[in-house]
Amino acid sequence: MPHGLEPNVRVEELLVRVADGDQDAFTGIYDALSGTVMGLACRVLRDPAQAEEVTQDVMIEVWRTAGRYDRERGTAKAWVLTLAHRRAVDRVRAAQAGAEREQRSGVLDPERAFDEVAETVQDRDEQRRLYRCLASLDRRQRVPLMLAYYQGLTYLEVADALSAPEGTVKSRMRAGLRRLRDCLEAGS
């Protein structure tokens, strides 16, 4: 530190130089304030790992936004500590909001956790059964059902696609659905 300068004056001068892109001045700011920023972040967050992250974020913000510092509104140190406090409080609020969302989710969906592997196996088994049952249908019943359910076509659109009367398509689809339901219920 140059002789005769108060620590706050030195930090303010360094901050002005940082605003001009002076990396050495930033090193001086970092050395002078990172410990204080870390202490403040630790007090707010009560978690040293998160406090380190906040300290790094704040120091990067100081590098990027040093030009926003206004001597008329307070000391450089106060400006940096204000950035640190805001960042730490934001981190606490984000954590609280996340915890509240999880709690609300648990209240709204009291279902117990499900076994994803078992559910996937069950879904695949049902899908195989459905395909087997579809394959067992007569082509005149299977094709209209597949057009309706897999392509999203209406009775009329299926009839147009197959060049068949709408009433005939409806009858075939109803008969196919009955056979499909019987096959699925039988578990074959």
Side-chain angles (χ1 to χ4, degrees), residues 8 14 27-28 30 34 36 49 67 77 95-96 110 126 133 138 142 146 149 151 156 161-162 167 175-176:
N8 284 337
L14 290 172
T27 300
Y30 192 94
S34 63
T36 307
K77 182 177 179 180
Q96 285 174 340
E126 288 175 5
C133 289
D138 180 80
R142 182 179 60 247
M146 292 183 75
Y149 289 98
Q151 300 295 320
L156 186 56
L162 297 176

Side-chain angles (χ1 to χ4, degrees), residues 3-170:
H3 296 292
L5 289 181
E6 295 292 319
N8 284 337
V9 173
R10 178 173 185 260
V11 170
E12 288 176 9
E13 289 175 358
L14 290 172
L15 195 55
V16 169
R17 289 178 29 212
V18 168
D20 291 332
D22 185 332
Q23 291 180 2
D24 291 331
F26 178 71
T27 300
I29 289 278
Y30 192 94
D31 291 344
L33 297 179
S34 63
T36 307
V37 168
M38 175 74 173
L40 173 65
C42 264
R43 281 192 305 278
V44 173
L45 295 165
R46 301 182 194 279
D47 178 355
Q50 285 194 39
E52 282 182 34
E53 289 177 22
V54 166
T55 299
Q56 294 306 313
D57 291 346
V58 168
M59 297 316 291
I60 290 168
E61 186 175 356
V62 167
W63 171 254
R64 286 186 10 255
T65 64
R68 294 184 189 163
Y69 167 64
D70 180 4
R71 285 183 181 201
E72 301 295 319
R73 300 184 72 189
T75 67
K77 182 177 179 180
W79 180 74
V80 172
L81 291 177
T82 299
L83 295 177
H85 187 261
R86 286 181 185 155
R87 184 70 60 116
V89 168
D90 287 347
R91 180 77 62 110
V92 169
R93 287 180 181 152
Q96 285 174 340
E100 288 170 5
R101 267 192 309 276
E102 285 180 23
Q103 186 178 17
R104 279 194 309 270
S105 174
V107 169
L108 295 176
D109 186 15
E111 297 289 319
R112 58 191 160 118
F114 60 90
D115 182 348
E116 290 183 36
V117 174
E119 186 168 294
T120 300
V121 169
Q122 183 180 354
D123 288 347
R124 286 184 183 155
D125 185 47
E126 288 175 5
Q127 192 175 37
R128 278 193 291 273
R129 283 184 27 226
L130 175 62
Y131 289 149
R132 270 196 311 271
C133 289
L134 275 170
S136 74
L137 295 178
D138 180 80
R139 183 183 186 290
R140 292 178 302 164
Q141 294 170 341
R142 182 179 60 247
V143 171
L145 286 176
M146 292 183 75
L147 288 172
Y149 289 98
Y150 291 110
Q151 300 295 320
L153 301 181
T154 64
Y155 283 120
L156 186 56
E157 291 168 331
V158 170
D160 286 343
L162 297 176
S163 299
E166 185 180 353
T168 301
V169 168
K170 280 185 182 181

